[in-house]
Amino acid sequence: MTHGSAGDTPAAARPNGVIVTDPPRAEARHVEALRGYGVATVHEAMGRTGCLGPGLRPVQQDVRIAGTAVTALCRPGDNLMIHAAVEQCAEGDILVVATTSPSTDGMFGELFATALHHRGVRGLVIDAGVRDTAELRAMGFPAWSAAVCAQGTVKATAGSVNVPVVVGGQCIRPGDVILADDDGVMCVPRQSAATAVEAAEARAAKEEATRAAFAEGQLGLDRYGLRETLARLGVRYQPYAEYAEDIRGGAVS
């Protein structure tokens, strides 16, 4: 489910919508630093927060992007506000599109991507449908969507641009950092970008140390102290012959 929420007054409740211009954005240096880490690493580093869930899938593979969010809140089957959002996009942004109720219509395609590419936009995240996926891949414009569908749309209903929207249970505000790769999409709040960089650096260093230990044969059971956890949970080791005897004797069901 997606809907808009703009402070005291939800954007979806405003009869004529609003286009907010020049919202503050996360610092470019923090965005670039976060781009060096995968979505899973940053998500774990931030206390397992920010993930937009399994519903958004990439139309391409082996692509990782990071950028600042420009948001568009649209009515289902109506991409008017995407046209309005294009004007508000700048180099380094990622367009994030939500709808006021669920939609799988193909609201975004090659022509939109061409316009956004000209403006230096790094990609699209849309909680609805995309089309022209072969063309998007060919032109190298990354997109993550909830659906792929050829169904067309209209341009008839007011919505909003650069207001908070909700995608996958996460509130995304204009200027927040969006990270996306093969594992999915996550959002880092603009005010938390610097903290996220530090946390991701620490997480990556920890993962590298663990990777080296595993490569030398250390077990996760020992590195993470999980033998104690197994014992505390009552899990025990038993030789096969003894286990088989227990089965024959009915001790194990």
Side-chain angles (χ1 to χ4, degrees), residues 151-247:
Q151 176 66 47
T153 56
V154 300
K155 303 163 180 59
T157 312
S160 294
V161 174
N162 277 334
V163 299
V165 297
V166 176
V167 177
Q170 299 294 325
C171 182
I172 302 171
R173 294 175 172 82
D176 285 349
V177 183
I178 301 298
L179 305 174
D181 61 20
D182 287 349
D183 292 337
V185 185
M186 73 164 295
C187 175
V188 175
R190 175 175 61 86
Q191 297 90 338
S192 302
T195 300
V197 172
E198 295 178 359
E201 289 175 349
R203 175 78 188 186
K206 180 180 178 181
E207 289 177 347
E208 179 56 34
T210 299
R211 186 178 300 110
F214 285 175
E216 294 176 356
Q218 186 177 17
L219 296 174
L221 285 173
D222 299 313
R223 186 167 185 83
Y224 301 138
L226 297 178
R227 295 190 189 280
E228 293 81 359
T229 301
L230 291 175
R232 176 172 53 82
L233 294 174
V235 179
R236 61 192 179 90
Y237 289 83
Q238 186 177 29
Y240 174 78
E242 181 181 321
Y243 177 74
E245 182 63 29
D246 286 346
I247 291 177

Side-chain angles (χ1 to χ4, degrees), residues 2 15-16 71-85 95-109 112 124 126-131 150-161:
T2 63
N16 297 316
T71 64
L73 181 65
C74 302
R75 298 288 178 174
D78 191 316
N79 67 4
L80 173 63
M81 300 315 294
I82 298 181
H83 285 276
L95 179 59
V96 179
V97 180
T99 54
T100 55
S101 60
S103 176
T104 58
D105 294 343
M107 299 176 64
F108 185 99
F112 271 137
L124 168 80
I126 180 169
D127 198 11
V130 296
R131 58 186 187 178
Q151 176 66 47
T153 56
V154 300
K155 303 163 180 59
T157 312
S160 294
V161 174

